[in-house]
Amino acid sequence: MDKELLIIGNWKMNLNPLEAAKYISEATSLVEEASKRNIVVGVAPTFLALTTAVYNAPEGLGIYAQNVNEHDHGAYTGEVSASMLKFANLTGAIIGHSERRQYNGETSKACNLKIKALLEQGLTPVYCVGESLETFEAGKTIEFVSEQLREGFAGLTAEEASQVVIAYEPIWAIGTGKSASIEIAEETAKQIRAILSDIFGEASSRIKILYGGSVKAENIGGYMACPNVDGALVGGASVDLESFTKVIKGAR
Ligand code: PGA
């Protein structure tokens, strides 16, 4: 049997609660197609749709938040804590997406606290890393991503680290239709694993590394066949159920 893959649809600020509920209630065959292929599938709806999504999700569909606050509770207006996500029975949360880094000033140090808060609740952090076009063209991808990894994973035990999912998403490939080549995705994933292996040893082999950035039905197969790529974070192509089902079918 081929290795298990994890494919998560990041809906971003798309699909209102009604649209999300419709999608979730019709997602049975999405999960069936995934499990036939040894793929674990999940979606990350808007906060407003999360509780209904968990309640109505077909068995096996992971439900993720798109952010979390690092504190457990208190005077943090507009924020949602990991214990609240746990209470709502979520699977995990996406952390440090490049859009949050760009528009909300999220740093890798802040991500580190969010990762710890999620792990404390037994939830899965999906930690996004990735470089800008400028950094990529300067040949500094690994240096940049390495820093994001070291800061994001600071203070974690090997056992904790093995529960974190990494999404490598080159910023220049997100929502641009310009995906990274399969060689770049594999090479970067391989280097990410080497960096983690330096820090955490054998546990790094259990860390799932996803590729993200303009993944669609037509190109996902190539990424999923890479030895160091364990899945995908899919934006645009996951917002429509039929399209996301095609992505899953194309994965292998
Ligand atoms: P995209 O987004 O698939 O639309 O490029 C990926 C992401 O931002 O996670």
Side-chain angles (χ1 to χ4, degrees), residues 2-211:
D2 292 323
K3 72 175 171 188
E4 182 184 278
L5 298 173
L6 173 64
I7 301 180
I8 301 172
N10 174 13
W11 293 355
K12 310 190 179 185
M13 203 169 69
N14 295 299
L15 300 186
N16 69 33
L18 191 62
E19 292 162 338
K22 183 169 184 298
Y23 186 123
I24 299 284
S25 70
E26 293 169 357
T28 311
S29 84
L30 174 78
V31 178
E32 281 169 6
E33 292 299 336
S35 74
K36 261 195 243 172
R37 295 168 171 82
N38 198 23
I39 297 170
V40 176
V41 62
V43 291
T46 163
F47 269 114
L48 284 178
L50 289 177
T51 45
T52 323
V54 168
Y55 192 74
N56 293 315
E59 204 184 322
L61 181 67
I63 306 291
Y64 294 79
Q66 298 174 18
N67 182 32
V68 69
N69 186 274
E70 61 271 34
H71 301 284
D72 181 68
H73 63 276
Y76 303 100
T77 302
E79 295 295 307
V80 176
S81 72
S83 59
M84 290 171 179
L85 299 186
K86 175 71 182 174
F87 181 82
N89 262 321
L90 261 69
T91 312
I94 298 170
I95 299 300
H97 189 280
S98 62
E99 286 149 16
R100 293 204 55 83
R101 292 180 189 262
Q102 186 182 349
Y103 306 127
N104 302 82
E106 204 158 297
T107 63
S108 296
K109 285 202 172 84
C111 291
N112 176 248
L113 299 175
K114 293 177 183 217
I115 288 171
K116 286 174 178 163
L118 288 167
L119 290 174
E120 206 165 296
Q121 298 296 330
L123 300 176
T124 302
V126 181
Y127 179 48
C128 301
V129 297
E131 81 290 358
S132 66
L133 185 58
E134 203 186 353
T135 305
F136 172 71
E137 285 176 343
K140 297 207 163 114
T141 298
I142 297 307
E143 216 174 294
F144 184 83
V145 168
S146 169
E147 185 68 13
Q148 290 182 322
L149 291 172
R150 286 178 199 282
E151 289 189 353
F153 279 81
L156 299 190
T157 64
E159 185 48 40
E160 286 168 338
S162 71
Q163 288 152 41
V164 179
V165 172
I166 292 172
Y168 167 59
E169 301 201 302
I171 298 169
W172 46 272
I174 295 177
T176 57
K178 217 171 109 179
S179 52
S181 70
I182 290 162
E183 292 72 27
I184 292 173
E186 167 58 16
E187 183 54 28
T188 313
K190 190 173 155 191
Q191 306 239 28
I192 287 173
R193 208 176 294 286
I195 293 162
L196 295 168
S197 163
D198 262 1
I199 314 175
F200 299 110
E202 183 278 325
S204 66
S205 65
R206 281 178 278 142
I207 298 179
K208 278 196 158 66
I209 302 175
L210 318 183
Y211 168 74

